[in-house]
Amino acid sequence: NRYVKISFESEVCMEKRVIFFDVDGTLVDGATGIVAESTKQALHALRKAGHILCLATGRGMRSLQLGGFDKLIDWDGYVCNTGQMLYDHEKNLIFEKYIDANAVYEALALAKKNKQVMLLEGKDHSILTDEADDYVIQTHEFIHEELEPVAEYDGFPVIMMMVFAPMGYDYQTFDQISGIRAIPGMSAFADIVLDGFSKVSGIEEMMRALGEQGYICFGDSLNDIEMAKHADYAICMGNGHDALKAVSDHVTGGVDEDGIWDACKELCLI
């Protein structure tokens, strides 16, 4: 493992670091859709201290812009769609990878068989495959976004998909489709992403673009586990999944408890 865990000693902790932030449940409170003032203050303090700040999220760029998360700070880079779409400081697309059309059609057929609604995300628009059910509504309330239009898939390039089902649902039948895998979310959905891609693969590509090595990360969910395992230092939010807490170096307060600010102060990043 080429990643070496760092120790936050007083003489080194103020050095410039590359820091990646998850969005939902980390920067933004999923219950309220609010970014805490202390979180905003921490981001600006980190910027003032000279750190390199990036997002690493399952959301696409369009979703980040609709939520205003791209405006929280002058981000140095964006790892979007669980590593499949990368954007630089100016939001120029620097890397893109789409799901094979055959896998899209197989996933659609499986969801139809299971009577599940899917969301298909392209570069410029997203669609729902059927009218929103309770699980779709629950998920959109969690991410605080309006429902996408219902439309028939016409073959447009798909970056990623979401399938909606009760919390705790077993999505392994989607994993059996060649080229994709399912990552359960913290609400009534799973992200369907390209097999072999993750926040880590996107972060590694971003680090090459930035000319940097080693990073710190903040996260809360199952799709942050690989990111945490490969980080120099990983911080899990207090509201985070137990599986992420188990592989993180530090557990801070919740997203609604000044968790990011407290961790940054405790680890003398600011």
Side-chain angles (χ1 to χ4, degrees):
N1 188 345
R2 68 181 180 86
Y3 299 89
V4 179
K5 293 294 181 182
I6 58 178
S7 174
F8 282 88
E9 303 293 342
S10 59
E11 65 268 20
V12 301
C13 67
M14 290 303 291
E15 292 179 359
K16 179 184 74 173
R17 303 289 183 190
V18 183
I19 309 175
F20 286 89
F21 291 90
D22 171 54
V23 174
D24 296 291
T26 302
L27 289 177
V28 60
D29 186 341
T32 64
I34 294 173
V35 178
E37 285 303 315
S38 66
T39 296
K40 296 176 183 178
Q41 292 171 13
L43 291 175
H44 286 284
L46 289 167
R47 169 62 71 214
K48 186 176 180 180
H51 301 296
I52 297 172
L53 308 180
C54 301
L55 290 178
T57 176
R59 289 182 183 245
M61 177 56 74
R62 182 169 171 269
S63 176
L64 292 178
Q65 292 174 319
L66 286 172
F69 303 115
D70 60 320
K71 299 292 195 301
L72 286 175
I73 196 70
D74 191 19
W75 299 105
D76 293 289
Y78 306 81
V79 175
C80 295
N81 301 109
T82 318
Q84 291 178 220
M85 306 290 280
L86 274 62
Y87 301 82
D88 66 11
H89 174 76
E90 289 81 22
K91 302 191 185 83
N92 297 312
L93 184 63
I94 59 175
F95 179 86
E96 58 185 327
K97 189 69 174 179
Y98 297 89
I99 296 175
D100 182 80
N102 290 331
V104 174
Y105 283 113
E106 284 190 53
L108 287 171
L110 178 58
K112 184 175 182 180
K113 177 183 176 181
N114 295 339
K115 298 182 179 179
Q116 294 168 308
V117 183
M118 293 196 74
L119 181 150
L120 307 184
E121 180 177 342
K123 188 185 294 186
D124 301 315
H125 73 292
S126 301
I127 63 169
L128 290 172
T129 58
D130 208 338
E131 296 296 333
D133 59 16
D134 290 343
Y135 307 124
V136 176
I137 293 170
Q138 181 180 335
T139 297
H140 281 70
E141 288 176 349
F142 174 75
I143 61 177
H144 299 275
E145 285 191 1
E146 295 183 1
L147 294 172
E148 293 79 5
V150 177
E152 185 174 347
Y153 176 55
D154 63 5
F156 66 82
V158 172
I159 303 167
M160 65 179 294
M161 301 177 281
M162 294 174 73
V163 60
F164 304 93
M167 288 284 287
Y169 183 84
D170 186 353
Y171 294 96
Q172 66 176 339
T173 51
F174 287 90
D175 293 334
Q176 295 170 9
I177 298 173
S178 178
I180 61 175
R181 64 189 178 102
I183 306 175
M186 298 292 276
S187 186
F189 73 97
D191 288 325
I192 308 294
V193 301
L194 266 174
D195 194 21
F197 283 79
S198 67
K199 289 187 179 183
V200 170
S201 66
I203 286 172
E204 290 179 339
E205 190 74 30
M206 181 62 70
M207 295 293 281
R208 283 191 286 270
L210 293 170
E212 298 286 342
Q213 292 184 339
Y215 67 91
I216 296 168
C217 67
F218 285 80
D220 76 299
S221 189
L222 290 173
N223 70 354
D224 296 318
I225 288 178
E226 292 177 69
M227 176 173 74
K229 285 181 176 179
H230 290 79
D232 289 346
Y233 202 85
I235 301 102
C236 180
M237 305 302 292
N239 52 280
H241 197 286
D242 287 343
L244 180 62
K245 291 178 180 178
V247 300
S248 295
D249 301 289
H250 181 83
V251 177
T252 188
V255 65
D256 60 344
E257 300 171 331
D258 302 328
I260 288 179
W261 173 267
D262 289 346
C264 290
K265 291 295 287 185
E266 185 172 349
L267 302 173
C268 57
L269 291 167
I270 56 179

